[in-house]
Amino acid sequence: KWHFKLYNLLICEEEQDVGVVDGGNAAAAVWTLRSHKEAWLCAADKPWSADDITPEAQMTIKRTKRFREEVPLQELNIPHHDSDDMSTECLFANTYCSMFRQCTDIVATMVERAVRLNKLQARPGKKKQFELFSSDFMFNSDFTKANLIECNFSPVIYDPYANQELTTPGLKRYQRLFDVCGDKAEVNDHEMIRDAVSIVFFPEEAEKMKDADDSFGGWKVVKSIPRFVS
């Protein structure tokens, strides 16, 4: 039993003067959604069974493997369909791109609806608004349909260099792994957090260093959504 975890960064980045709207001055607040290109496999410790209701068989809260295009599919130990037309590595690269795109499309739709319905409101002239959150998905057997399970606005993020308080079992588990494996530990969010901070608080520098696909440090722009405010 497993699910796919994606980390997202949502920023209300700017206000743009667009002249007169509805008889008065207005500005466009732009909500920009980014998703980190390295997602996560979160798997239970034991094979699933309807007769086994133990946490080890049913709980998928632990991050176990990073999803990367270069990671062979068999290393993730998730079901897949073999193909005579392409290698397993090529199959996974294509599958992962599709999984990532499906998930980011769903998150973008959710955020866009929230903006359009005024559930997300800009605060012109005040401190910049941003949120780092995770979203969890389940897929059908051939990975062609993603289903959003939930979004977590207090996600478990682990930075071994931040001297953070270990307040959850997950953080304690990741600390133990880091104590044993050091920088080779699978779960280490230091770079993801550092790059998110750069994007939020030092956008000019981040803009200069972005990659060809408009990403910075693994954070890829998914969609920019304007919101007109009076």
Side-chain angles (χ1 to χ4, degrees):
K1 185 178 179 181
W2 62 277
H3 71 263
F4 181 97
K5 181 179 290 291
L6 187 69
Y7 284 95
N8 310 282
L9 179 63
L10 180 64
I11 309 174
C12 190
E13 294 195 283
E14 59 184 285
E15 302 155 21
Q16 299 173 337
D17 186 12
V18 293
V20 177
V21 177
D22 293 332
N25 292 326
V30 181
W31 293 90
T32 300
L33 174 67
R34 292 172 171 85
S35 294
H36 202 273
K37 292 189 290 186
E38 292 185 348
W40 286 91
L41 172 72
C42 300
D45 292 328
K46 294 168 57 179
W48 182 85
S49 168
D51 299 321
D52 187 348
I53 59 173
T54 62
E56 291 77 14
Q58 301 294 338
M59 299 292 287
T60 61
I61 59 175
K62 181 175 67 176
R63 286 186 280 169
T64 51
K65 285 282 187 179
R66 288 180 188 266
F67 275 93
R68 298 188 183 99
E69 289 184 10
E70 66 271 19
V71 175
L73 187 62
Q74 59 267 28
E75 287 189 14
L76 295 173
N77 296 320
I78 56 178
H80 67 283
H81 296 286
D82 293 323
S83 172
D84 296 331
D85 300 326
M86 61 181 72
S87 67
T88 299
E89 289 78 9
C90 182
L91 173 64
F92 180 66
N94 283 276
T95 301
Y96 176 72
C97 290
S98 172
M99 293 168 71
F100 183 83
R101 183 178 63 254
Q102 290 179 63
C103 294
T104 54
D105 284 350
I106 291 173
V107 177
T109 298
M110 178 189 71
V111 171
E112 188 167 20
R113 286 176 180 171
V115 172
R116 300 293 182 233
L117 294 173
N118 212 28
K119 302 298 183 180
L120 280 172
Q121 299 183 18
R123 298 178 297 188
K126 297 186 178 181
K127 292 182 179 179
K128 179 177 288 187
Q129 297 163 264
F130 68 96
E131 188 81 45
L132 198 161
F133 65 99
S134 65
S135 47
D136 296 342
F137 300 86
M138 294 184 72
F139 284 82
N140 60 356
S141 60
D142 59 0
F143 311 125
T144 57
K145 180 173 176 55
N147 297 280
L148 177 64
I149 306 171
E150 64 176 354
C151 291
N152 301 297
F153 290 90
S154 297
V156 175
I157 299 176
Y158 172 67
D159 184 347
Y161 308 112
N163 195 29
Q164 70 186 107
E165 187 176 357
L166 304 178
T167 56
T168 70
L171 288 173
K172 294 175 182 177
R173 181 188 304 115
Y174 301 148
Q175 181 64 53
R176 289 195 297 269
L177 290 173
F178 183 79
D179 290 341
V180 173
C181 303
D183 288 335
K184 294 183 180 180
E186 188 71 13
V187 179
N188 183 344
D189 299 317
H190 173 77
E191 292 184 359
M192 182 180 75
I193 298 169
R194 179 200 63 195
D195 295 335
V197 169
S198 296
I199 292 169
V200 173
F201 295 105
F202 308 101
E204 294 81 7
E205 289 78 0
E207 180 70 18
K208 295 175 184 177
M209 299 173 64
K210 68 181 182 181
D211 298 330
D213 64 351
D214 204 26
S215 64
F216 172 76
W219 288 106
K220 181 178 177 60
V221 174
V222 175
K223 193 166 190 177
S224 292
I225 305 163
R227 174 65 178 174
F228 292 98
V229 295
S230 57

